Structures are given as structure tokens and as C-alpha cells.
Amino acid sequence: MSKNIYVTSPLLPPLEEFIPYLERIWENKNLTNGGVFHQRLEKELAEYLGVEHLCLFSNGTLALLTALQALRITGEVITTPYSFVATSHTLLWNGLTPVFADIDPVTCNIDPDKIEQLITPATSAILPVHCYGIPCDVDRIQGIADAWGLKVIYDAAHAFGVKLNGQSVLRCGDLSILSFHATKVFNTFEGGAIICPDAKMKQRIDYLKNFGFAGETTVVAPGINAKMNEVQASFGLVQLQHIDRALSEREHIYQRYCELLADVPEISIFSAQDNVEWNHAYFPVLVNDSYPLSRDGLYDYLKQHDIYARRYFYPLISTFSMYRHLPSAHPDSLPVASATAEKILCLPIFPGLKEDDLKRIVELIRQPIAKPENTFLAADVADDVA
């Protein structure tokens, strides 16, 4: 049985499958600048994901920064406070103003009902997040964007391989951004991608990620250096051979959690809509008020037993010092996001999580219910940590 169990563990294919790629790189000495493995990975990922055009990046944050540049976004961008900070940080780095909209309590995604009332003459785009890989209400968001002449860029960092009505959710909006960070369902150590609808946009993005060069001596835009290198790309090619098995394992672990927690009403489990093929990127639960411990109490109780769950996403982006001054960041404007952030807990889920460890996690969650006296110990520890 494992000692420490973390919220995730990187998917690592057999080392012997990776070594021949490294030998090829050493042999041809082509380390970057769109080498053979980079070209192959772009092609094979596009085919696997069911999209027309895909641009690889060295990480997902640079992909999102570049997407905002590629669409020439200006002024205000309506987005969610319930995400990783990179979502909003990319707006600030582009000189844009985030405008936070509250979230839907069922999906934790941006609430379309809140978007339209936040639109002003300065609004140029909507930046939603497919939180936990569960798709946003893409039809309603697109309808709002069309009515107001806005661009839609999806932060799809969690949504690798996710399908909506049989089609890749990455095809929605003007651009979609993937992250291939080590913690993600599919990883290239670090990495990311922009999914774009046509060859013209792909060409512009390829220029922007390579300093703006359109030839040896021609620079067409103030670009950035965001290229994926050959080591990352080759690792991605090996990963791709194992991704279906990994997704299947994730689904199995999700189902086992659901079975083992089915009679624990104090813990609410998230699920995707019936028309969604989900990647089970996370296993988020809500720790309800009826549970003997607070969310932080349970978080600390699990940590005492070497289970490292994560509070994704807490605190809200809107509470950080660079955002809290914004009118849209006031907690009264974000009641659902604020409440969710105080109750959310993501339990460990990753290929290779052992059945015994999964059962141990569930048993630890059950213990404070079965033995309320444990509540006091965990609460005392939580207070000490705070």
C-alpha cells in the first residue's frame, strides 16, 4: 500500500519506449524549431482529438497569452473567478481587464445568465473554462457572443479528449486552449496547444509563437518564444499510445468512488451531462454542511493520514490582491463561486491508483461520520494549521 497518495500522479509510459525517440534526437541534433517530432505530434493530436488545426506550445499559459494576441482582444473580457490563476493572469499580461461572472452550481462553469448583464462597450471577448473537463453551456455562450459581436476563447486546460454530442468540445468558440502540464490527463512534461478553425489562423499563431518570424529575415508581428521542443513532442507521441488506457482507468476509478460513496449524502459528487464523453480529469466533491467536519477539516484530516487532496479552486481568483479591487470581484456578486470554493475538495484520481488506496480514502471520509468524536481532533488540527 502506498504511503503518500497525492491528488494526481503524472502519466509516465514505459521508459524503454521513450529512449528510441531520445536517441533519434541525439542523432539528428534537431532540438526545436518545428522538428520532425513536433510536426508528427501536431498531426497525430489533431487526428486523435477530431480537430482540423492544432498549434503546439511550450506550455498552456503561453498558448492562452498568444490566443488573446491572435484575436486582437482589447478592453474587458468576461471570465470566471473559479479557475487556476493563469486564466486571469494572461488577461493582465495582455493589458486586459477581467470581469468576473458567477458560476453555475451544478457544473462550476461560468453561468451564461450572468454574462450578458456584464457586457459593456469595452467588452471584446468571453473567456470561459471547462472546469474539471465538464463542458460549459457552449450554445448559450456562443449565442450571447454572436448577439454582441464578441470573441469566445475557451480555457480547455482540463478538457483533453472531451466530447459533446459526439464532437470534440475543443471545436467550440473562436479558439480553445489545452494544457499538457504534468498534472493533466495528457502531458508533455510542460506543454499546451491552441485549437483553431482554419489554416490562416494557424499560420498567424505559428508566427506569433516564434517571435513573429514569417521567414529568415521577415518579422510580421511582435511575437513571443513559445515553441514546444522535440523532447516534449517526442514524449507526447509516446503518451498518445497509452492515453486510451489511461482514460479508461480514470473512468473506472471514478465509478468506484461513486459506488463507495453512494450512501454518504454528506458528500456530493459531480458528474458530466449525459451527452458528454468525459475524461474524468478530476474527482471533485462538495463537503456539505451536514458533514461532521468543514471542508478544511476534512482536508487536514486526510493529510494527517498521508492523503493529499486539493481544494481546486480555492481561494477564488477574485480574492487575490491584483483582482480584488475590481467591481466584479466583490463576493456579493459571486455568491455561488464563493460558496463552492469553501466546500470543494478534489480527491486523488489517476491511472495506477490502487483499489486498496481508494478504499482507504473512502474509509477515512466515512470515519468522522461513524465516529463523531474524531471531529474534535480534526477540527483542532485545522485550527492549528490556520
Side-chain angles (χ1 to χ4, degrees), residues 13-20:
L15 183 59
E16 59 269 21
E17 294 183 16
F18 187 38
I19 290 174

Side-chain angles (χ1 to χ4, degrees), residues 129-130 154-160 177-180 184-185 279 282:
V129 177
H130 298 302
Y154 279 103
D155 182 335
H158 304 169
F160 183 93
I177 314 305
L178 283 170
S179 170
F180 302 148
K184 298 300 188 290
V185 167
N279 61 10
Y282 297 85

Side-chain angles (χ1 to χ4, degrees), residues 22-23 64 71 79 120 156 177 295 324 329 345 376 381:
L22 295 178
E23 291 174 338
L64 185 48
L71 294 177
T79 189
T120 73
I177 314 305
R295 186 278 311 278
R324 68 170 69 113
L345 193 64
F376 300 106
V381 171

